[in-house]
Amino acid sequence: VRLYAGPVEPDNFAGLGVVLTADGTVAADADSLPDIPDAVAVLPDGTQTQMLVRKRDAAADIAYLQPATSTTQAAISWTPIAIAGDHAVLGQEIIALSGGAVPRIASGLVVALAPSGAASTSPQVVETDVAGSSLLSGSPLIDEQGALVGISTGNARSVNASGFISASVLSY
């Protein structure tokens, strides 16, 4: 989904989010939603819905959003993404999804697996050979079967411009 920090206008585009559950839990780059309690999600069919930031995982730099309750909006059918196995594998073929106004894809390989911080418990960063300039906040990294391998976050991009926090750390 596309996320906006305010009304759906180009200047308010915050990044991408990934639907994790059938009730609409979305994971996004927390850096793209700094200190705001809500956002607007735009689904692929153009449906817009208000989302509330439910929690933030500072170590992984992930914000978890939940649809706001509405009595006026029709029910939304959320389709959650499958999560790839526990960890990415060196040499694994991957696809990065991106694009603000125009959807974009880039394919590549997992080239390194590194911790996102000094502590051994830091979330794993999946480094790829995808050009970092083609990624957006929250860009999902998927495998060839369409399962989520990682999410582009500020913490991951600080380790490597084409880095993604491993999907194995998602807790929703």
Side-chain angles (χ1 to χ4, degrees), residues 139-165:
S139 285
L141 183 69
I142 59 174
D143 63 20
E144 291 180 308
Q145 289 73 43
L148 186 66
V149 174
I151 297 175
S152 177
T153 68
N155 284 2
R157 291 187 305 275
S158 71
V159 172
N160 182 293
S162 59
F164 297 77
I165 288 292

Side-chain angles (χ1 to χ4, degrees), residues 2 14 37 50 77 85 91 101 107 115 118-119 137 141 159 164-166 169 171-172:
R2 296 185 186 310
Q50 192 73 23
S77 177
S107 62
S137 293
L141 183 69
V159 172
F164 297 77
I165 288 292
S166 174
V169 304
S171 59
Y172 43 94

Side-chain angles (χ1 to χ4, degrees), residues 58-130:
D61 203 22
I62 298 284
Y64 295 92
L65 298 94
Q66 195 72 37
T69 304
S70 171
T71 57
T72 59
Q73 186 175 23
I76 295 174
S77 177
W78 298 92
T79 304
I81 192 166
I83 306 296
D86 287 340
H87 296 286
V89 177
L90 287 175
Q92 179 179 359
E93 293 183 9
I94 46 80
I95 301 164
L97 307 177
S98 189
V102 177
R104 300 184 186 282
I105 62 169
S107 62
L109 299 172
V110 172
V111 297
L113 302 169
S116 62
S120 62
T121 57
S122 297
Q124 183 182 56
V125 173
V126 178
E127 295 181 26
T128 70
D129 62 356
V130 172

